Amino acid sequence: MQALNSAPVVDGRRQDLWRDDHEVDRWAREHGGLGGDEERRWLRTARDALQAVESGTPAEPRLRQVLAGVRKVPRPSAAGIEWQVEAPPERRLAVELVLAWADVKERMPGRLRPCENPECCLFLLDRSRANTARWCSMKTCGNRLKARRHQARTRDTPRPG
């Protein structure tokens, strides 16, 4: 989710937190990557493709690029079988990002979606029992939209007199 939500709207303007190379390298190192130009390029490609897919825009060609030639190979271990991803080193973290997204989509169908605030570019993972969450944050987007609807109802309600 952190990668998908790396382009929030702040003060009405979209801010790409991954525009700064140092920020992407920091994120990459925190997630087992090395940083560097090629890894950053692949991470941005994967992130942009996943954001597009979740927003309803086709992104198959970009996902195919990220996943080209990647293999999952079974390796016996003391715990049973572990699946090892084989990918070029500069693409490994981007591939893992796509695979983590695919795992969430498979394990929690319909739970990952864009915030319903049209001014927001973030995504939410709905963990509610009823699967009815609508906003990335009740504190920001939810309250803001509820307040707007209340103001509109108040404005449109005829006053006695």
Side-chain angles (χ1 to χ4, degrees), residues 42 60-73 84-92 95-96 99:
W42 285 111
E60 290 88 0
R62 286 184 280 174
L63 288 175
R64 268 192 223 100
Q65 280 183 314
V66 173
L67 299 173
V70 171
R71 298 177 354 160
K72 280 182 96 171
V73 180
Q84 183 112 27
V85 173
E86 291 184 356
E90 68 277 2
R91 245 190 310 145
R92 183 190 56 79
V95 167
E96 288 178 4
L99 293 176

Side-chain angles (χ1 to χ4, degrees), residues 107-122:
R107 286 185 305 106
M108 302 174 81
R111 299 283 180 155
L112 178 62
R113 57 184 167 266
C115 177
E116 282 191 23
N117 178 355
E119 298 169 5
C120 182
C121 293
L122 299 181

